[in-house]
Amino acid sequence: MDSDDEVLVILAAYVAAKENEDQSNIKGQSKRRRPNCWVNPYLQLRKEKGRFQNDFQNMVQNPSMFYQNFNMNESEFNSLFSLVEPHLVPKRNSRPDAIPLRAKLAIALEYFATGDLQCHVGSTYRISKQHMGRTIDLVSHAISTALHGEFPKWNSENMLKWATDFMEQWHFPNCIGAIDAKHVAIRAPPNSGNAFHNSKGLHSIMLMAVCDASYRFTYIDVGAYGSETDMTAFSHCSLGKAILSGNVAFPEDSMLQGVRTPYYMVADEAFQLHKRIMKPYGARKLSKAERIFNYRLSRARRCIEKAFGILSNRWMAVQDSLRCGPDRAQNVIVACCYLHNYLMRVSPREYGARVESPLMQSPADPAAESFRGRVQDFPKHVRNTIKDFVNSAVGSVPGQNESAGVLH
C-alpha cells in the first residue's frame, strides 16, 4: 500500500470515529433531556376527570351548591378572582398541564370552607399532595395581598366611627372594639416541646383579634404559641405593644356625665384592666350596679365572639383543627380573616347569617391627671364611670335589670 492509500485509510477512519462520537453526544443529550419522573395515572386525568373540569360549571348552575362549597356566589367568586389573579400568575410557566389559576382559587376556597383533609380535596381535583400544599400557600398569600385594604387603619377618625357604632347598636359608650383570642389546633412541629400545648391539651396557635360593632375585624395577629395566656399574647403583638406603651393616637377623651372618659376596648376576664381595656367586675358578691355593668359590657363584648362564630362556621378549616404545621396554619387563618371582612362588606346578610407584662401608663393624659388617686387605680375609675353611666336614666336600656338577674 503506497503512502496515498495510507492517508486515505487514516482519513476514512477519522471521519467514521467522528461520526460515531457525534451520534453518541446526540444520544446522551436526548437522554438527559428526557424527564426522569413518574406521574400517577390518576393525576394525569386531571383535565378529563378532575373536579374543576367536571363539577365547577355544574355548581354554577346550582347556586345553593356553589355557595355551600365556596361561601360566596358566582359573581362574588369572579370578583374575588379578578382581585387575586395578578398575584397568582407564575413568573414562568412552560408546562402544558399547569393547574388553571381559577382552579387554584376554587381548590383553596373549598379547602378553607370544608376544613377537609388536604389529600382528600387534592384527590378530587386530581392534584398531588405537594401541589395541594403549594396551592394553599400561594392562594393564601394572594388573598392576603389583594384584600389588604379590607382592614381599616387605626386612626382617630375610624375610632370615633367605631365608638359611634357601638353606642348606636349596643349602647356602650366610648367603646372602639371588642378584643379576644381564639385557639386553632395544629399539628405540632418536631421538637417543639410544650410551646404550642394549650390548657385544653391540644397543640395550637392563637388568633388575637379586635372587631367593630358589625363583626368585622379591625386588627388580627396570628401565630402566638398556644401555651401563652390571652394577655401575654396581646402584650407581644404589635397593637398590644403600642397601646400598652401609650403609642396609639386615640381620640381625645370625651365627657361622660361630666367626667372625662377615655376610649377603650372591651374584653373578658382573661385580660388585665387598663384604661384602654375594660373588663367585667370579678368579685363574687357584686352590687346591683356592678352586675348591670357586667351585663352591658358582655353585650358589647359578644361582638368578637359572634365574629369568631361566623368565621368558624363559614371557614371550617379554622373551626377545630388544621392538620398542618404552624406556618401554613398561619397563612390559612390570615386568609380566612381577610375573606371574612371582604364578605361581611359585600354580602353581610347572606354571609353573616349566621406571664403578663406590666401595663404602662401614658405620661400625658388629661383624664388621668384630673383623677385624684393612685395612677394604677385610674382604670378602675374609668370602669366605675361607665358603670354609673349604664345605670343612669340616660344610659340604661330596657330590660337590663331582668337580663342581669337584678331584682327591683
Side-chain angles (χ1 to χ4, degrees):
M1 181 181 293
D2 57 16
S3 59
D4 292 338
D5 293 336
E6 290 180 355
V7 171
L8 291 175
V9 170
I10 293 173
L11 288 175
Y14 174 79
V15 170
K18 191 66 176 175
E19 289 179 353
N20 290 335
E21 182 181 354
D22 293 341
Q23 290 295 329
S24 299
N25 290 337
I26 293 174
K27 290 180 179 179
Q29 290 177 3
S30 62
K31 182 179 291 186
R32 285 193 297 270
R33 291 175 182 173
R34 188 179 302 161
N36 187 21
C37 60
W38 176 83
V39 179
N40 190 317
Y42 177 83
L43 302 180
Q44 292 178 354
L45 299 176
R46 180 194 310 135
K47 289 187 176 181
E48 294 79 12
K49 298 184 178 181
R51 177 168 170 77
F52 183 76
Q53 284 70 21
N54 290 335
D55 296 340
F56 189 82
Q57 288 303 321
N58 292 334
M59 286 190 288
V60 169
Q61 303 302 322
N62 190 331
S64 62
M65 186 62 66
F66 190 96
Y67 197 95
Q68 180 180 338
N69 282 271
F70 303 112
N71 280 330
M72 59 189 73
N73 57 41
E74 182 196 6
S75 175
E76 292 161 355
F77 181 95
N78 293 334
S79 298
L80 178 63
F81 178 71
S82 66
L83 295 174
V84 302
E85 183 180 14
H87 307 285
L88 295 176
V89 177
K91 296 181 180 179
R92 181 178 62 184
N93 183 19
S94 58
R95 294 191 52 162
D97 61 340
I99 303 172
L101 301 184
R102 189 178 295 270
K104 290 184 178 181
L105 178 61
I107 291 167
L109 289 180
E110 186 163 351
Y111 170 69
F112 297 162
T114 62
D116 209 341
L117 291 171
Q118 293 182 34
C119 60
H120 181 263
V121 177
S123 66
T124 60
Y125 284 88
R126 295 188 182 243
I127 63 174
S128 66
K129 179 181 178 181
Q130 292 75 18
H131 274 91
M132 181 65 187
R134 288 196 287 267
T135 299
I136 292 173
D137 291 338
L138 175 65
V139 176
S140 296
H141 285 296
I143 290 173
S144 302
T145 303
L147 302 183
H148 182 73
E150 294 298 331
F151 276 76
K153 295 181 178 179
W154 274 62
N155 53 38
S156 295
E157 180 181 358
N158 284 335
M159 291 185 205
L160 289 173
K161 180 182 181 303
W162 300 336
T164 300
D165 291 342
F166 266 100
M167 188 61 186
E168 291 179 351
Q169 298 183 41
W170 303 106
H171 307 286
F172 211 69
N174 287 32
C175 177
I176 65 163
I179 182 171
D180 202 357
K182 172 181 171 57
H183 287 261
V184 180
I186 62 168
R187 186 176 61 208
N191 303 319
S192 60
N194 293 326
F196 295 95
H197 198 263
N198 62 29
S199 58
K200 296 182 179 179
L202 302 174
H203 293 89
S204 66
I205 59 175
M206 296 177 65
L207 163 62
M208 179 68 60
V210 182
C211 78
D212 61 17
S214 300
Y215 317 133
R216 295 188 75 215
F217 297 120
T218 58
Y219 173 84
I220 60 169
D221 179 84
V222 183
Y225 294 134
S227 59
E228 297 181 1
T229 65
D230 291 2
M231 189 63 200
T232 301
F234 175 71
S235 64
H236 290 167
C237 71
S238 58
L239 179 65
K241 291 178 180 178
I243 288 179
L244 299 180
S245 60
N247 292 325
V248 176
F250 280 89
E252 184 178 351
D253 301 337
S254 66
M255 300 300 294
L256 197 62
Q257 289 190 316
V259 180
R260 186 184 292 272
T261 308
Y263 289 85
Y264 53 84
M265 299 178 294
V266 290
D268 59 16
E269 297 84 353
F271 288 80
Q272 188 171 337
L273 187 65
H274 182 262
K275 78 167 188 174
R276 302 299 185 187
I277 303 175
M278 291 293 106
K279 57 180 286 187
Y281 288 97
R284 292 185 177 180
K285 294 184 179 180
L286 298 176
S287 66
K288 170 184 174 182
E290 291 172 341
R291 291 169 67 182
I292 290 177
F293 169 85
N294 284 359
Y295 161 70
R296 294 287 299 279
L297 182 141
S298 70
R299 293 176 77 242
R301 188 184 60 80
R302 278 200 294 266
C303 287
I304 188 63
E305 295 180 356
K306 291 180 180 179
F308 283 154
I310 296 172
L311 176 74
S312 299
N313 288 330
R314 289 303 186 186
W315 308 109
M316 299 290 289
V318 301
Q319 184 179 68
D320 294 319
S321 177
L322 276 167
R323 300 171 183 87
C324 57
D327 293 337
R328 180 166 297 161
Q330 184 173 352
N331 295 336
V332 171
I333 296 170
V334 171
C336 289
C337 289
Y338 275 96
L339 288 169
H340 170 90
N341 273 14
Y342 172 74
L343 292 170
M344 284 297 291
R345 178 176 62 83
V346 300
S347 59
R349 289 188 178 181
E350 189 173 12
Y351 172 81
R354 246 307 322 137
V355 172
E356 302 178 356
S357 300
L359 302 182
M360 301 177 64
Q361 186 73 29
S362 179
D365 188 346
E369 291 176 358
S370 64
F371 168 68
R372 296 190 177 185
R374 297 186 304 172
V375 172
Q376 57 267 34
D377 290 337
F378 178 66
K380 297 180 181 179
H381 166 71
V382 175
R383 184 168 62 180
N384 289 334
T385 300
I386 303 167
K387 176 197 68 177
D388 295 339
F389 173 80
V390 299
N391 281 277
S392 67
V394 175
S396 61
V397 296
Q400 68 178 19
N401 287 3
E402 293 78 4
S403 298
V406 175
L407 300 178
H408 294 284

